Amino acid sequence: TGDNPSPTTFSGGLSYGSRPNAAAYVKKTGSGTWRLTQGASSNNGTYDVREGVLEYATIAEKGTACALGTATLTQSEYTGTPDDSKNVPYAIKLGSDPATVAAANTATLKYVGADAKTIKERPVVIKGAGRFASDNAAIDWTGFTSLIPGENTLILGGAASGNVARGVADGAGTLSLMKDGAGSWTVNNPGTSGDLAVKSGRLDVRLNRQYRWYKLQIKKVYNNTEVYLAHIGFFNAEGVEQGLT
């Protein structure tokens, strides 16, 4: 926690010694910025960024040690004896309820590493509002949904270009998308019903939908005989019908 404007570096790894089945729940509060740099952190728990900025210098798929640990035993916050009923299907939670999108200390998880990365097994949930950003190298990340009912906002930011967000969907509530920062993001097939706002940078939205194809035929009847005249379909600018399925 804290209100430090410059990153405070946590360079040590989170480990458990003789307790390999233990899990840590890392909670970030306060308006300040913390940076995790240890690439061999074996923490296997959940990261909960409630306000301020949590930066990480390395990232890998679930089960592989990196600055955000291994994410193999993600749980909600609790104390006491081990309790598997506290397991949650996400590795990262951004925001707190209630949350204000315009607040300077909106919960932010930011990648500051130098290598482009693709991550498919560390789902992110938004509780109110949260910013997901990359400042240097592009990241391709799968899994963004809202955790609570009502309006929630996922803010895609940072200075890096070529970032991709996949598996973006409403979840438990309504998820809105906002783009800020100088970088660029592509959102593939969003399943969201909230608002869309682009404050700065570039946002590409790509849709790959399946539509049912109907051919509307126009006929005329002569003495109980149907004569086909034409049909209504989808045509390109050159007048060639598109065989959509």
Side-chain angles (χ1 to χ4, degrees), residues 140-204:
D140 185 327
W141 200 290
T142 299
F144 299 89
T145 56
S146 64
L147 180 64
I148 58 176
E151 296 182 2
N152 300 266
T153 302
L154 167 62
I155 306 169
L156 299 172
S161 297
N163 301 296
V164 181
R166 306 176 191 271
V168 181
D170 277 336
T174 297
L175 188 63
S176 295
L177 296 178
M178 179 181 293
K179 169 70 181 70
D180 67 7
S184 65
W185 279 86
T186 296
V187 179
N188 283 319
N189 288 322
T192 58
S193 56
D195 296 331
L196 177 65
V198 180
K199 298 175 63 177
S200 59
R202 179 184 177 94
L203 177 66
D204 293 327

Side-chain angles (χ1 to χ4, degrees), residues 80-167:
T81 59
D83 185 355
D84 287 342
S85 70
K86 303 296 185 181
N87 292 352
V88 294
Y90 53 84
I92 297 164
K93 181 169 67 173
L94 298 180
S96 59
D97 183 30
T100 303
V101 174
N105 63 335
T106 296
T108 299
L109 184 69
K110 181 185 292 185
Y111 179 49
V112 295
D115 300 322
K117 291 292 183 179
T118 297
I119 300 298
K120 298 180 179 180
E121 297 184 337
R122 290 177 181 260
V124 179
V125 293
I126 306 300
K127 187 178 182 182
R131 179 180 288 102
F132 194 85
S134 179
D135 257 1
N136 301 315
I139 51 177
D140 185 327
W141 200 290
T142 299
F144 299 89
T145 56
S146 64
L147 180 64
I148 58 176
E151 296 182 2
N152 300 266
T153 302
L154 167 62
I155 306 169
L156 299 172
S161 297
N163 301 296
V164 181
R166 306 176 191 271

